[in-house]
Amino acid sequence: MADVLEVTEAGLYCPAGDFWIDPWRPVPRAVITHAHADHARSGCGRYLCAAPGKLVMRSRLGSTSPIDTLRHGERTTFNGVTVSLHPAGHVLGSAQVRVEHRGQVWVVSGDYKTALDPTCTPFEPVTCDVFVTESTFGLPIYRWPAPDTIATEINAWWRANQAQGKTSVLLAYALGKAQRLAAMVDPSIGPIYGHGAVMKLVRAYRDSGVRLPSIDPVPPRAKRVGQGRALVITPASAAASGWLRAFGEVSIAQASGWMTVRGIRRRRGFEQGFVLSDHADFPGLVSAVEATGARRVLVTHGSSETFARFLRGRGLDATILHTRFAGEQADHDGGPEEEPESGARADDPAGGGGAEAEAP
Amino acid sequence: MKAFTALYWRLDRTTRTSEKEAVLVDYFRAVPPADGAIAVHLLSGGRQSRAVPLALLRGWAAEAAGIPDWLIDECYAQVGDLAETLALVLPDTVAAIGADSATNLGLASCVRDSVDRLRQQPDTIGKRRIIEGVWNTLAPTERIVWHKLLTGGLRVGVSRTLVARALAEVAGVDTATMLERLVAAKLDSADDYLHLLHPDVAAGSRRPYPFFLASAIEHPADTLGPPGDWQVDWKWDGMRAQVVRRGGEVALWTRGEELVGERFPEIVDAAAELPDGTVLDGELLVVQGGRQQGFTTLSRRMNRTCPTRRQIAELPCAFLAYDLLESDGVDRRQEPLATRRRRLDRLAAAAGWPTFEPRAADDPLPSSAPTVARLLLSPQLPAPDWQAVSDARAEARKRGVEGVMIKRRDGAYGTGRTRGEWWKWKVDPLEIDAVLLAAVAGHGRRAGLHTDYTFGVWDGGRLVKIANAYAGLTDVELTEIDRIIRATTTEKKGAWRGVTPTLVMQLAFEGVAESTRHGSGVAVRFPRIARWRKEKSPADAGTLADLRALIEPARLLPASPSPRPAPRGSAGQQKMLWEEEG
């Protein structure tokens, strides 16, 4: 039987339904898992995404192309192919795409996490024959502490910085991680400020009905903003640009799954790293794969080779699916925030968009 | 364990020296003395013993975690630290932390009761049971430290001087005093710790003085003024050491502040003839048939803790003195160098030590019989002008020395590295353009990046491996090269990758010698990366013939029946590990 989905020049394509999922080139019809730049690109004819993510999509795409939506679980058809969108728990509006054709069910999970996140609908396993999974953290060293534990750590760090008159700066992706952090911390500790890129999405989140604490933009040309008491949430690129000068003395920390590894944290020069990711950790990946009941698993961006081999060891038909998704990156300011170079798969925490040669 | 683990991570979290010092002071003030003794020992780079081989630990951890061995290798390639890798993959079973949990044990009890007990436990299954028991009581951050203690691999990013500074603050003495105490301190018990921190303790009788170190210089003539103000010595290619003759005993200390007398009995015997209350500063070298050998040869002797008579005869060692720090039991370090040197010369004359000249291989030895003396005097070089010094340096490679030392005649013998007093002017390195053939993922802050490279040069139509090198590039370059390595990988095995040759680097190194241990037939000494030749393609790289042309005329390298391979890196790197040359 022919595959329901295949990788083409423009991206993951469904020939029977004539649509693409997260295409990396402009196509007439794109089904989008979530609004990060390596999954949602502008220039397509028509978009389909999950209803909760519409405003976020609109703010990211910056185009006038029509965006259709489906409620979670609601079905639609393209040329007799049934498509529905199911929560992926990655960021607001993130979805797994379920595609059914002639009795065969494929699920493309996009990016997902199994940990709890107050800003988006939790991941729901969907039974399928073929499961397409990411593998950003597909090594057993990656096991996330409970988000509550991390929230406590961040609050303690914020308080300790305040005691020294230092502003606390959290580096995080502008879409998803930034809002999640804002919702996690204890806003009674002090004022929270967001970088412009963060604020744009804070508005989209609020307009979509997500409750977030009060977050202020940084007034232009201000000095000693927050008087050393504030928490600032910003993408890493802005932190490098000198934008932080408005805050006086700062303590910088990154919130990322990569902070698990001491060497990676030290290389980035952070005194403090918080282990918090919007991707599934290793046990999360394994349980997600198992919950689908799929016999065949296609592994994309991340430790794809390793994770596929691990799954084969557990009796699954697991192979690598070469895509151009970037996932969360350790040594790169951009990650999903910025357009990865063409051809980049970035299946490593360090390379930041490094293309790996196909195995000979 | 809890307090020490917390210290480990607090030190790890900051890159600021002042903050590290404050963290250390806090710890040293609060720590129970028995734990303090062991902590100081560990923090100041003291010898650690291995209770369990890492390979065993790795197997048990893999089983406990239900992970295949190959997956541990993949994880290790990303983490770059096996103790950490194992800590991260082990299942979370920190259930009830009972009173006997390792978390609640003091550092001393933990090291003594669990590490030492493990070491003495002959039975592998018994060892395993103890370890699995402890795993269950530790959080991942604690496990990392415990694994490092178990395997004798604990390294903390603090210098000995920094530890001494913190201890000095706690004790209320000056740092130099604390450094001296640290060198001689026995760090086993609570009493040792209290002794170390005592505001006023008479110093131990066999302690050496902290070594005074030189800084590198580029153009002495432009910066140092009249040459008459300076004493010029050869920079020997051996190991810096002090001979301490006090209280009827002899101690031989290396620059790494290791006691090595047992390894060099011929030198200890000779030094027993010194007047009591004498401390000499100088260099350990293999000296045979009137010629000295390089560091690589000396390291073969360093590796033998108790050499046999035959081994001593094969590679006899000598101590070349170039400074005198104590005579008649009086500390002479505040005297000007010129005065100290006059004292040294008088001592040498009275004892009849020969002055030892480094000679080129083609320079015949003087007719007098080759010296068998084991205490030798390092000569001063005549330096009427800077040109003469420059000429001497130009001959250094031929003579088997590393360059020249330039020391201020009216300067005292300081502590640490004080710029402006002692300079080392080393020979320019040799260089060749080589092609990157393979890479291994790095460790520590290079974890997950492919930063340890294998290089080759052309031999006919193929590239032959000549060196491994990993020093010399910036972080930005390393990241860029990592990307290229991933994109050009042809073969992968754990952390190792073979690549299609595309990258050319200029390698710098200290020498080339014939070698039967290397496939290429040559060994380069202390190779490191001088720069990335982006403009060159592999076809432009050097050849094996180019390299062979740099081989020095044989310097009488005695054959060794079973040369022990260096643990890691070249002899030059090893030398830096042992003594951080000065």
Side-chain angles (χ1 to χ4, degrees):
Chain A
M1 200 191 307
D3 281 350
V4 174
L5 297 171
E6 61 190 43
V7 176
T8 67
E9 280 295 291
L12 199 54
Y13 179 59
C14 175
D18 192 25
F19 61 88
W20 282 259
I21 299 174
D22 293 353
W24 42 82
R25 285 191 188 166
V27 297
R29 163 60 84 179
V31 180
I32 303 295
T33 60
H34 66 286
H36 278 147
D38 55 328
H39 292 262
R41 286 159 214 251
S42 54
C44 294
R46 244 190 136 77
Y47 292 90
L48 175 69
C49 73
K54 183 169 184 179
L55 295 178
V56 172
M57 279 286 288
R58 180 53 80 203
S59 102
R60 296 292 288 203
L61 286 177
S63 72
T64 51
S65 304
I67 300 177
D68 306 319
T69 62
L70 287 176
R71 291 187 311 277
H72 287 311
E74 185 188 355
R75 296 186 173 198
T76 186
T77 53
F78 298 106
N79 291 340
V81 176
T82 308
V83 172
S84 55
L85 301 174
H86 305 264
H90 178 56
V91 296
L92 180 61
S94 65
Q96 309 174 70
V97 183
R98 182 184 182 278
V99 183
E100 181 173 357
H101 181 54
R102 293 190 183 150
Q104 239 206 105
V105 179
W106 286 48
V107 168
V108 178
S109 56
D111 289 337
Y112 64 94
K113 70 168 173 287
T114 50
L116 283 183
D117 177 345
T119 63
C120 65
T121 321
F123 176 87
E124 271 175 26
V126 181
T127 308
C128 57
D129 301 302
V130 181
F131 186 53
V132 180
T133 182
E134 58 139 325
S135 58
T136 308
F137 293 103
L139 290 174
I141 49 175
Y142 295 111
R143 286 181 302 167
W144 309 150
D148 286 354
T149 313
I150 299 299
T152 310
E153 278 181 22
I154 295 175
N155 290 335
W157 165 76
W158 185 4
R159 284 200 188 90
N161 289 333
Q162 273 187 348
Q164 297 177 50
K166 285 191 211 169
T167 302
S168 305
V169 178
L170 271 176
L171 306 184
Y173 294 140
L175 164 56
K177 186 80 67 65
Q179 292 72 31
R180 183 183 181 196
L181 284 166
M184 277 170 71
V185 297
D186 176 358
S188 71
I189 297 174
I192 305 176
Y193 289 91
H195 182 266
V198 170
M199 293 312 293
K200 193 174 145 195
L201 287 147
V202 163
R203 281 189 291 277
Y205 264 58
R206 285 207 177 106
D207 293 345
S208 307
V210 176
R211 286 174 56 98
L212 293 174
S214 158
I215 306 173
D216 289 319
V218 179
R221 283 179 299 282
K223 289 237 169 64
R224 287 266 307 149
V225 175
Q227 304 295 317
R229 296 183 58 253
L231 175 72
V232 179
I233 304 177
T234 171
S237 51
S241 71
W243 177 79
L244 287 176
R245 276 197 289 268
F247 296 98
E249 207 186 337
V250 296
S251 171
I252 302 182
Q254 189 172 43
S256 159
W258 301 115
M259 295 297 110
T260 304
V261 176
R262 176 168 168 261
I264 296 176
R265 176 172 60 72
R266 288 170 66 91
R267 180 161 69 242
R268 302 236 39 195
F270 298 128
E271 300 195 346
Q272 184 69 262
F274 298 107
V275 180
L276 186 78
S277 179
D278 285 332
H279 293 264
D281 59 1
F282 186 80
L285 289 171
V286 175
S287 68
V289 167
E290 279 177 350
T292 63
R295 299 296 311 150
R296 186 173 166 207
V297 181
L298 301 175
V299 184
T300 67
H301 55 296
S303 299
S304 43
E305 232 170 273
T306 309
F307 191 58
R309 184 173 168 193
F310 174 79
L311 293 177
R312 283 197 297 276
R314 293 166 73 100
L316 294 175
D317 170 15
T319 48
I320 301 170
L321 184 71
H322 292 291
T323 64
R324 296 183 187 175
F325 308 129
E328 179 171 347
Q329 298 181 7
D331 281 357
H332 198 249
D333 288 341
E337 300 300 303
E338 290 164 17
E339 204 79 357
E341 287 165 44
S342 166
R345 281 202 298 111
D347 57 356
D348 66 279
E356 174 151 8
E358 317 259 316
Chain B
M1 261 305 266
K2 206 173 219 151
F4 188 71
T5 308
L7 171 74
Y8 179 87
W9 289 106
R10 282 178 75 193
L11 289 173
D12 185 68
R13 290 250 140 83
T14 177
T15 45
R16 265 168 293 197
T17 312
S18 59
E19 227 163 277
K20 286 189 180 190
E21 189 180 334
V23 167
L24 285 169
V25 168
D26 282 354
Y27 176 82
F28 288 141
R29 276 195 213 287
V31 71
D35 293 353
I38 294 191
V40 172
H41 176 80
L42 293 169
L43 291 168
S44 57
R47 220 187 164 77
Q48 298 171 48
S49 50
R50 166 171 296 195
V52 186
L54 261 173
L56 277 182
L57 205 57
R58 172 208 203 102
W60 300 337
E63 252 183 72
I67 290 172
D69 278 349
W70 67 266
L71 190 48
I72 299 265
D73 292 344
E74 293 290 335
C75 292
Y76 174 53
Q78 177 125 119
V79 176
D81 178 330
L82 195 55
E84 184 182 348
T85 306
L86 301 185
L88 290 172
V89 299
L90 280 167
D92 294 315
T93 42
V94 196
I97 293 178
D100 59 343
S101 119
T103 303
N104 296 334
L105 284 182
L107 179 64
S109 335
C110 187
V111 167
R112 212 149 287 138
D113 300 351
S114 81
V115 178
D116 290 352
R117 189 156 62 97
L118 271 165
R119 204 169 54 241
Q120 286 147 17
Q121 167 72 251
D123 167 27
T124 307
I125 297 168
K127 282 189 196 226
R128 181 174 182 166
R129 234 173 253 134
I130 298 174
I131 284 174
E132 286 173 344
V134 178
W135 271 340
N136 288 342
T137 64
L138 297 182
T141 50
E142 291 174 317
R143 285 178 188 154
I144 294 178
V145 176
W146 195 62
H147 286 167
K148 286 171 183 284
L149 286 175
L150 279 181
T151 54
L154 187 82
R155 312 254 180 294
V156 187
V158 291
S159 67
R160 199 185 173 85
T161 313
L162 185 63
V163 173
R165 234 160 51 201
L167 286 167
E169 191 180 328
V170 176
V173 299
D174 62 89
T175 309
T177 305
M178 186 53 74
L179 267 170
E180 286 178 7
R181 283 186 197 173
L182 267 183
V183 170
K186 208 161 73 39
L187 290 163
D188 293 331
S189 66
D191 277 352
D192 296 336
Y193 185 70
L194 295 173
H195 193 68
L196 191 67
L197 290 185
H198 199 281
D200 180 32
V201 182
S205 79
R206 298 200 304 158
R207 73 188 158 78
Y209 294 101
F211 285 79
F212 191 38
L213 307 178
S215 314
I217 197 169
E218 301 278 340
H219 303 290
D222 300 349
T223 42
L224 298 188
D229 293 351
W230 301 86
Q231 173 182 317
V232 180
D233 300 343
W234 291 116
K235 184 174 185 334
W236 298 100
D237 181 22
M239 185 174 280
R240 184 90 182 270
Q242 279 182 38
V243 169
V244 178
R245 171 86 173 90
R246 281 195 209 114
E249 284 184 86
V250 173
L252 185 60
W253 296 89
T254 65
R255 152 92 177 76
E257 287 166 352
E258 220 182 325
L259 263 172
V260 294
E262 282 185 334
R263 299 173 195 212
F264 302 98
E266 69 271 48
I267 294 173
V268 172
D269 286 351
E273 306 295 322
L274 288 167
D276 212 58
T278 305
V279 178
L280 303 172
D281 186 11
E283 198 96 352
L284 286 172
L285 281 165
V286 172
V287 176
Q288 196 174 30
R291 296 185 194 273
Q292 92 283 4
Q293 305 298 333
F295 179 82
T296 324
T297 314
L298 178 70
S299 64
R300 302 222 297 256
R301 273 295 299 276
M302 269 308 284
N303 288 338
R304 307 201 189 283
T305 351
C306 286
T308 62
R309 209 177 288 227
R310 199 173 132 235
Q311 285 162 346
I312 295 172
E314 249 172 36
L315 298 173
C317 291
F319 180 83
L320 261 77
Y322 40 67
D323 208 333
L324 179 142
L325 311 184
E326 181 178 314
S327 62
D328 306 321
V330 179
D331 179 353
R332 305 288 180 188
R333 291 177 299 160
Q334 293 312 306
E335 293 181 358
L337 172 62
T339 311
R340 300 199 308 272
R341 179 70 199 202
R342 271 197 301 277
R343 290 186 190 277
L344 179 66
D345 287 340
R346 277 203 299 273
L347 180 69
W353 306 344
T355 301
F356 185 84
E357 295 283 349
R359 292 177 191 279
D362 54 0
D363 183 4
L365 294 169
S367 52
S368 54
T371 177
V372 289
R374 294 297 106 190
L375 290 180
L376 304 169
L377 189 63
S378 172
Q380 297 183 52
L381 302 186
D385 49 44
W386 289 116
Q387 189 53 47
V389 180
S390 174
D391 292 347
R393 171 176 173 267
E395 284 184 13
R397 196 184 302 280
K398 221 169 63 186
R399 290 173 179 264
V401 293
E402 293 189 320
V404 294
M405 300 293 300
I406 303 170
K407 302 172 178 175
R408 192 182 285 284
R409 283 188 196 278
D410 61 6
Y413 188 95
T415 11
R417 204 183 299 273
T418 314
R419 275 186 83 77
E421 296 290 318
W422 283 19
W423 300 101
K424 50 184 174 189
W425 192 20
K426 293 174 76 166
V427 293
D428 293 328
L430 301 170
E431 285 170 343
I432 194 161
D433 288 334
V435 183
L436 194 150
L437 302 177
V440 178
H443 304 263
R445 49 191 297 282
R446 294 167 156 206
L449 281 181
H450 292 84
T451 55
D452 301 3
Y453 312 123
T454 301
F455 291 96
V457 293
W458 293 103
D459 182 22
R462 66 194 186 103
L463 286 162
V464 291
K465 196 178 129 181
I466 53 153
N468 292 318
Y470 53 91
L473 294 168
T474 65
D475 280 2
V476 175
E477 287 172 323
L478 289 174
T479 311
E480 198 177 337
I481 290 168
D482 178 77
R483 225 172 273 178
I484 297 171
I485 286 168
R486 286 170 194 277
T488 56
T489 300
T490 53
E491 205 187 333
K492 209 180 141 185
K493 213 185 286 165
W496 180 92
R497 283 166 189 252
V499 298
T500 311
T502 57
L503 296 165
V504 180
M505 311 263 164
Q506 183 177 332
L507 298 186
F509 48 96
E510 295 306 316
V512 190
E514 300 271 2
S515 164
T516 49
R517 274 169 46 206
H518 296 75
S520 60
V522 295
V524 299
R525 168 140 181 242
F526 192 17
R528 66 265 185 197
I529 299 158
R531 63 198 170 105
W532 180 3
R533 303 295 301 256
K534 288 193 182 182
E535 77 288 6
K536 293 207 169 185
S537 71
D540 305 328
T543 65
L544 195 57
D546 295 342
L547 206 55
R548 297 198 76 93
L550 298 172
I551 295 178
E552 292 291 314
R555 289 191 53 80
L556 188 85
L557 203 73
S560 161
S562 59
R564 202 186 278 190
R568 180 189 160 85
S570 66
Q573 285 152 359
Q574 214 181 355
K575 176 173 181 174
M576 303 225 307
L577 288 177
W578 271 337
E579 58 161 358
E580 221 185 287
E581 51 185 319

